[in-house]
Amino acid sequence: MGSRGQGLVLGCCLLLASAWGPALSHVPRGQEEWQEQEGTQEPPAPMDHAERDEEKHEKYSPNLGEELAASRCFRCCDPATPVYQALPVPQINITILKGEKGDRGDRGLQGKYGKTGSVGARGHIGPKGQKGSMGAPGDRCKNHYAAFSVGRKKPLHSNDYYQTVVFDTEFVNLYGHFNMFTGRFYCYVPGIYFFSLNVHTWNQKETYLHIMRNTEEVVILYAQVSDRSIMQSQSLMLELQEQDEVWVRLFKGERENAVFSDEFDTYVTFSGYLVKHAAEP
Protein backbone atom coordinates (compact mmCIF):
# COMPACT_ATOMS: atom_id res chain seq x y z
CA MET A 1 0.00 0.00 0.00
CA GLY A 2 1.10 3.52 -0.50
CA SER A 3 1.14 6.40 1.85
CA ARG A 4 -2.43 7.23 0.96
CA GLY A 5 -3.63 3.86 2.10
CA GLN A 6 -1.78 4.10 5.39
CA GLY A 7 -3.35 7.47 6.04
CA LEU A 8 -6.84 6.06 5.56
CA VAL A 9 -6.17 3.26 8.06
CA LEU A 10 -4.79 5.71 10.62
CA GLY A 11 -7.81 7.94 10.22
CA CYS A 12 -10.21 5.04 10.82
CA CYS A 13 -8.38 4.08 14.02
CA LEU A 14 -8.63 7.62 15.36
CA LEU A 15 -12.32 7.74 14.65
CA LEU A 16 -12.92 4.42 16.44
CA ALA A 17 -10.92 5.55 19.42
CA SER A 18 -12.88 8.77 19.72
CA ALA A 19 -16.21 6.86 19.43
CA TRP A 20 -15.47 3.90 21.71
CA GLY A 21 -13.38 5.67 24.32
CA PRO A 22 -16.19 6.92 26.57
CA ALA A 23 -18.06 3.62 26.23
CA LEU A 24 -15.01 1.58 27.17
CA SER A 25 -14.28 3.79 30.17
CA HIS A 26 -17.89 3.44 31.52
CA VAL A 27 -18.39 0.61 34.07
CA PRO A 28 -21.93 -0.37 35.22
CA ARG A 29 -22.85 0.25 38.85
CA GLY A 30 -23.61 -3.37 39.67
CA GLN A 31 -20.27 -4.46 38.21
CA GLU A 32 -18.41 -1.84 40.25
CA GLU A 33 -20.02 -3.18 43.44
CA TRP A 34 -19.10 -6.71 42.41
CA GLN A 35 -15.51 -5.71 41.81
CA GLU A 36 -15.31 -3.98 45.19
CA GLN A 37 -16.71 -7.09 46.96
CA GLU A 38 -14.39 -9.50 45.16
CA GLY A 39 -11.36 -7.14 45.33
CA THR A 40 -10.37 -7.86 41.74
CA GLN A 41 -9.54 -5.40 38.98
CA GLU A 42 -10.58 -7.56 36.04
CA PRO A 43 -12.11 -5.47 33.26
CA PRO A 44 -15.80 -6.01 32.64
CA ALA A 45 -16.98 -7.86 29.66
CA PRO A 46 -17.84 -5.70 26.67
CA MET A 47 -21.50 -4.75 26.44
CA ASP A 48 -23.46 -5.64 23.43
CA HIS A 49 -25.71 -3.32 21.51
CA ALA A 50 -28.84 -4.36 23.50
CA GLU A 51 -27.26 -3.29 26.83
CA ARG A 52 -26.15 0.07 25.40
CA ASP A 53 -29.64 0.70 24.04
CA GLU A 54 -31.10 -0.20 27.42
CA GLU A 55 -28.74 2.23 29.22
CA LYS A 56 -29.56 5.01 26.80
CA HIS A 57 -33.21 4.31 27.29
CA GLU A 58 -32.76 4.45 31.07
CA LYS A 59 -30.77 7.67 30.86
CA TYR A 60 -33.30 9.59 28.87
CA SER A 61 -36.52 7.98 30.13
CA PRO A 62 -38.63 10.34 32.29
CA ASN A 63 -40.04 7.45 34.48
CA LEU A 64 -36.78 5.65 34.99
CA GLY A 65 -37.57 4.11 38.38
CA GLU A 66 -40.96 2.72 37.46
CA GLU A 67 -39.93 1.31 34.06
CA LEU A 68 -36.73 -0.17 35.50
CA ALA A 69 -38.67 -2.15 38.10
CA ALA A 70 -41.25 -3.27 35.59
CA SER A 71 -39.20 -4.08 32.52
CA ARG A 72 -35.70 -4.99 33.64
CA CYS A 73 -34.89 -8.73 33.91
CA PHE A 74 -33.17 -10.10 37.05
CA ARG A 75 -31.28 -13.24 37.78
CA CYS A 76 -31.61 -15.24 40.95
CA CYS A 77 -27.99 -14.54 41.82
CA ASP A 78 -28.32 -10.76 41.42
CA PRO A 79 -28.47 -8.75 44.64
CA ALA A 80 -31.72 -7.18 45.74
CA THR A 81 -33.87 -9.53 43.66
CA PRO A 82 -37.46 -8.25 43.82
CA VAL A 83 -40.17 -10.46 45.38
CA TYR A 84 -43.25 -10.82 43.22
CA GLN A 85 -46.61 -11.05 45.05
CA ALA A 86 -48.68 -14.11 44.18
CA LEU A 87 -52.00 -13.34 42.61
CA PRO A 88 -55.08 -14.78 44.43
CA VAL A 89 -56.80 -17.73 42.79
CA PRO A 90 -60.33 -16.83 41.72
CA GLN A 91 -63.08 -18.55 43.74
CA ILE A 92 -66.34 -19.86 42.32
CA ASN A 93 -69.57 -19.70 44.36
CA ILE A 94 -70.89 -23.27 44.09
CA THR A 95 -74.27 -22.35 45.59
CA ILE A 96 -75.06 -20.37 42.45
CA LEU A 97 -74.46 -23.49 40.34
CA LYS A 98 -76.49 -25.82 42.69
CA GLY A 99 -79.67 -27.14 41.10
CA GLU A 100 -83.03 -28.05 42.59
CA LYS A 101 -83.50 -31.17 44.74
CA GLY A 102 -84.45 -34.21 42.71
CA ASP A 103 -87.17 -36.80 43.38
CA ARG A 104 -86.54 -39.66 45.80
CA GLY A 105 -85.57 -42.88 44.11
CA ASP A 106 -87.08 -46.33 44.60
CA ARG A 107 -86.11 -48.37 47.64
CA GLY A 108 -83.49 -50.98 46.92
CA LEU A 109 -83.57 -54.66 47.78
CA GLN A 110 -82.83 -55.73 51.35
CA GLY A 111 -79.31 -56.95 51.85
CA LYS A 112 -78.24 -60.19 53.47
CA TYR A 113 -78.27 -60.51 57.23
CA GLY A 114 -74.88 -60.23 58.85
CA LYS A 115 -73.33 -62.77 61.19
CA THR A 116 -74.58 -62.87 64.74
CA GLY A 117 -72.08 -61.27 67.08
CA SER A 118 -70.90 -62.71 70.35
CA VAL A 119 -72.81 -61.98 73.54
CA GLY A 120 -71.33 -59.06 75.41
CA ALA A 121 -70.49 -58.91 79.08
CA ARG A 122 -73.29 -58.41 81.57
CA GLY A 123 -73.74 -54.78 82.53
CA HIS A 124 -73.85 -53.31 86.00
CA ILE A 125 -77.02 -53.57 88.06
CA GLY A 126 -79.04 -50.42 87.68
CA PRO A 127 -80.68 -48.48 90.48
CA LYS A 128 -83.89 -49.78 92.02
CA GLY A 129 -86.97 -48.41 90.33
CA GLN A 130 -89.98 -46.83 91.94
CA LYS A 131 -92.83 -48.91 93.29
CA GLY A 132 -95.41 -49.59 90.63
CA SER A 133 -99.14 -49.16 90.94
CA MET A 134 -101.38 -51.98 92.11
CA GLY A 135 -102.54 -54.24 89.32
CA ALA A 136 -106.01 -55.48 88.59
CA PRO A 137 -107.31 -58.33 90.76
CA GLY A 138 -106.82 -61.80 89.38
CA ASP A 139 -109.39 -64.34 88.40
CA ARG A 140 -111.08 -65.83 91.46
CA CYS A 141 -111.22 -69.24 89.83
CA LYS A 142 -107.46 -69.44 89.76
CA ASN A 143 -107.06 -68.80 93.52
CA HIS A 144 -106.57 -71.91 95.62
CA TYR A 145 -108.47 -72.05 98.90
CA ALA A 146 -109.90 -74.85 101.05
CA ALA A 147 -111.14 -74.63 104.63
CA PHE A 148 -113.80 -76.07 106.92
CA SER A 149 -114.79 -76.05 110.60
CA VAL A 150 -117.68 -78.16 111.97
CA GLY A 151 -119.03 -79.17 115.39
CA ARG A 152 -121.26 -81.74 117.17
CA LYS A 153 -123.79 -81.04 119.93
CA LYS A 154 -125.05 -84.57 120.46
CA PRO A 155 -123.20 -87.08 122.67
CA LEU A 156 -121.78 -90.22 121.16
CA HIS A 157 -121.47 -93.76 122.62
CA SER A 158 -119.62 -96.69 121.11
CA ASN A 159 -121.15 -99.98 120.17
CA ASP A 160 -119.60 -103.20 119.00
CA TYR A 161 -118.31 -101.67 115.70
CA TYR A 162 -116.31 -98.71 114.50
CA GLN A 163 -118.43 -95.61 114.14
CA THR A 164 -117.91 -92.52 111.98
CA VAL A 165 -118.30 -89.27 113.87
CA VAL A 166 -120.90 -87.17 112.07
CA PHE A 167 -121.21 -83.45 112.77
CA ASP A 168 -124.38 -81.39 112.96
CA THR A 169 -123.10 -77.81 113.18
CA GLU A 170 -121.37 -76.03 110.30
CA PHE A 171 -119.14 -73.02 111.10
CA VAL A 172 -117.13 -72.79 107.85
CA ASN A 173 -117.47 -74.97 104.80
CA LEU A 174 -115.70 -73.24 101.89
CA TYR A 175 -116.96 -74.47 98.51
CA GLY A 176 -118.75 -77.35 100.32
CA HIS A 177 -115.67 -79.58 100.42
CA PHE A 178 -116.84 -81.08 103.76
CA ASN A 179 -119.85 -83.37 103.44
CA MET A 180 -122.10 -82.98 106.49
CA PHE A 181 -124.01 -86.22 105.76
CA THR A 182 -120.97 -88.50 105.53
CA GLY A 183 -118.80 -86.55 108.02
CA ARG A 184 -115.84 -86.53 105.59
CA PHE A 185 -113.65 -83.84 104.03
CA TYR A 186 -112.95 -84.44 100.32
CA CYS A 187 -109.76 -82.98 98.89
CA TYR A 188 -110.29 -81.09 95.63
CA VAL A 189 -107.18 -78.87 95.91
CA PRO A 190 -104.03 -80.95 96.46
CA GLY A 191 -101.46 -79.60 98.87
CA ILE A 192 -100.54 -79.42 102.53
CA TYR A 193 -103.40 -79.17 105.06
CA PHE A 194 -103.65 -78.51 108.79
CA PHE A 195 -106.28 -80.45 110.85
CA SER A 196 -107.42 -80.09 114.45
CA LEU A 197 -109.82 -82.25 116.57
CA ASN A 198 -111.24 -81.21 119.96
CA VAL A 199 -113.52 -83.40 122.17
CA HIS A 200 -114.88 -83.49 125.70
CA THR A 201 -114.47 -86.73 127.69
CA TRP A 202 -117.19 -88.45 129.71
CA ASN A 203 -116.93 -89.27 133.41
CA GLN A 204 -116.00 -92.87 134.13
CA LYS A 205 -115.78 -93.59 130.42
CA GLU A 206 -112.92 -94.03 127.99
CA THR A 207 -112.45 -91.67 125.01
CA TYR A 208 -110.71 -93.24 122.03
CA LEU A 209 -110.83 -91.76 118.49
CA HIS A 210 -108.73 -91.74 115.28
CA ILE A 211 -108.20 -89.13 112.56
CA MET A 212 -108.37 -91.14 109.35
CA ARG A 213 -107.01 -90.55 105.85
CA ASN A 214 -109.00 -92.73 103.49
CA THR A 215 -108.84 -96.11 105.32
CA GLU A 216 -105.62 -95.41 107.20
CA GLU A 217 -105.40 -94.50 110.88
CA VAL A 218 -103.15 -91.43 111.05
CA VAL A 219 -103.25 -90.12 114.66
CA ILE A 220 -105.12 -91.06 117.85
CA LEU A 221 -106.94 -88.99 120.47
CA TYR A 222 -107.16 -90.87 123.77
CA ALA A 223 -108.26 -90.16 127.35
CA GLN A 224 -108.31 -92.74 130.17
CA VAL A 225 -111.20 -93.37 132.48
CA SER A 226 -111.43 -90.61 135.08
CA ASP A 227 -113.79 -89.17 137.66
CA ARG A 228 -113.59 -85.79 135.88
CA SER A 229 -114.46 -84.86 132.33
CA ILE A 230 -111.78 -82.88 130.47
CA MET A 231 -111.16 -81.33 127.02
CA GLN A 232 -108.80 -83.30 124.80
CA SER A 233 -107.26 -82.12 121.48
CA GLN A 234 -105.18 -83.45 118.63
CA SER A 235 -103.69 -81.62 115.60
CA LEU A 236 -101.50 -82.50 112.60
CA MET A 237 -100.55 -81.58 109.05
CA LEU A 238 -101.15 -83.87 106.06
CA GLU A 239 -100.11 -83.73 102.43
CA LEU A 240 -103.19 -84.69 100.47
CA GLN A 241 -103.73 -85.66 96.86
CA GLU A 242 -106.88 -84.96 94.94
CA GLN A 243 -109.88 -87.15 96.01
CA ASP A 244 -108.29 -88.02 99.38
CA GLU A 245 -110.75 -88.24 102.33
CA VAL A 246 -110.13 -87.14 105.93
CA TRP A 247 -112.59 -88.07 108.71
CA VAL A 248 -112.91 -89.02 112.41
CA ARG A 249 -113.69 -92.53 113.62
CA LEU A 250 -114.75 -93.75 117.08
CA PHE A 251 -112.55 -96.72 118.00
CA LYS A 252 -114.03 -100.09 119.04
CA GLY A 253 -112.61 -101.04 122.39
CA GLU A 254 -113.23 -103.39 125.30
CA ARG A 255 -114.59 -100.62 127.47
CA GLU A 256 -117.39 -98.24 126.80
CA ASN A 257 -116.16 -95.48 124.51
CA ALA A 258 -117.99 -92.16 124.61
CA VAL A 259 -117.79 -88.47 123.81
CA PHE A 260 -119.68 -85.98 125.92
CA SER A 261 -121.86 -83.15 124.60
CA ASP A 262 -125.31 -81.58 125.13
CA GLU A 263 -127.99 -79.79 123.17
CA PHE A 264 -127.00 -76.32 124.36
CA ASP A 265 -123.23 -76.12 123.81
CA THR A 266 -120.80 -77.50 121.27
CA TYR A 267 -118.11 -79.69 122.85
CA VAL A 268 -116.77 -81.47 119.76
CA THR A 269 -115.11 -79.60 116.85
CA PHE A 270 -113.23 -80.68 113.76
CA SER A 271 -111.37 -78.13 111.53
CA GLY A 272 -108.96 -78.07 108.59
CA TYR A 273 -107.57 -75.66 105.97
CA LEU A 274 -105.12 -75.54 103.07
CA VAL A 275 -101.65 -74.26 103.98
CA LYS A 276 -99.81 -74.55 100.64
CA HIS A 277 -101.01 -75.54 97.21
CA ALA A 278 -99.09 -78.35 95.52
CA ALA A 279 -98.37 -76.26 92.38
CA GLU A 280 -96.73 -73.42 94.30
CA PRO A 281 -92.88 -73.39 94.37
Side-chain angles (χ1 to χ4, degrees):
M1 295 176 59
S3 59
R4 186 177 180 180
Q6 294 178 357
L8 290 174
V9 173
L10 181 59
C12 291
C13 293
L14 292 175
L15 288 174
L16 291 173
S18 62
W20 286 89
L24 293 174
S25 62
H26 177 73
V27 179
R29 183 179 179 181
Q31 189 172 358
E32 289 179 357
E33 295 177 357
W34 177 79
Q35 289 179 359
E36 291 177 0
Q37 293 177 3
E38 297 294 333
T40 59
Q41 299 297 330
E42 295 181 1
M47 295 185 296
D48 53 4
H49 294 283
E51 294 181 356
R52 287 197 303 271
D53 294 341
E54 186 177 351
E55 289 179 358
K56 291 178 183 179
H57 179 73
E58 291 177 359
K59 182 177 181 182
Y60 296 101
S61 178
N63 299 326
L64 181 60
E66 298 176 1
E67 294 180 1
L68 180 61
S71 62
R72 187 177 179 182
C73 298
F74 292 90
R75 295 177 298 178
C76 60
C77 59
D78 291 340
T81 303
V83 179
Y84 297 98
Q85 184 178 3
L87 297 177
V89 179
Q91 301 292 333
I92 300 176
N93 189 0
I94 302 179
T95 58
I96 300 175
L97 304 178
K98 185 178 180 180
E100 297 180 357
K101 184 178 181 180
D103 298 334
R104 185 174 182 179
D106 298 335
R107 185 175 181 179
L109 299 176
Q110 184 177 357
K112 297 181 180 179
Y113 290 99
K115 296 181 179 179
T116 304
S118 58
V119 180
R122 186 174 182 179
H124 299 288
I125 300 176
K128 185 178 180 180
Q130 298 180 355
K131 185 178 180 180
S133 58
M134 182 180 294
D139 190 358
R140 292 179 179 271
C141 297
K142 294 182 179 180
N143 297 329
H144 306 287
Y145 297 104
F148 74 92
S149 182
V150 293
R152 180 183 176 92
K153 292 184 177 181
K154 294 180 181 180
L156 183 64
H157 293 268
S158 66
N159 296 324
D160 296 336
Y161 58 91
Y162 298 107
Q163 186 177 356
T164 303
V165 179
V166 180
F167 299 87
D168 52 26
T169 304
E170 184 179 84
F171 300 109
V172 174
N173 190 9
L174 191 62
Y175 308 127
H177 291 178
F178 189 89
N179 192 320
M180 298 294 292
F181 297 99
T182 61
R184 299 191 179 195
F185 169 75
Y186 296 92
C187 176
Y188 295 100
V189 183
I192 299 175
Y193 286 80
F194 175 82
F195 295 97
S196 176
L197 175 63
N198 297 279
V199 298
H200 194 283
T201 63
W202 205 310
N203 296 343
Q204 304 299 327
K205 294 182 180 181
E206 188 179 40
T207 304
Y208 197 170
L209 299 96
H210 283 112
I211 296 179
M212 308 287 294
R213 177 173 60 187
N214 300 328
T215 59
E216 177 188 2
E217 301 171 356
V218 182
V219 292
I220 186 174
L221 186 151
Y222 178 76
Q224 292 180 349
V225 177
S226 175
D227 295 336
R228 299 188 309 167
S229 60
I230 57 174
M231 292 293 298
Q232 290 284 93
S233 66
Q234 180 66 278
S235 60
L236 78 160
M237 297 181 71
L238 293 175
E239 184 174 2
L240 301 181
Q241 304 296 328
E242 191 172 356
Q243 298 302 324
D244 282 347
E245 301 176 8
V246 179
W247 51 289
V248 179
R249 184 184 70 176
L250 193 66
F251 184 71
K252 177 184 176 182
E254 296 179 357
R255 299 179 183 180
E256 185 179 4
N257 191 357
V259 176
F260 175 80
S261 189
D262 58 31
E263 299 291 338
F264 304 101
D265 297 315
T266 304
Y267 287 88
V268 181
T269 60
F270 181 43
S271 304
Y273 61 89
L274 177 66
V275 177
K276 182 179 179 296
H277 187 260
E280 295 180 3

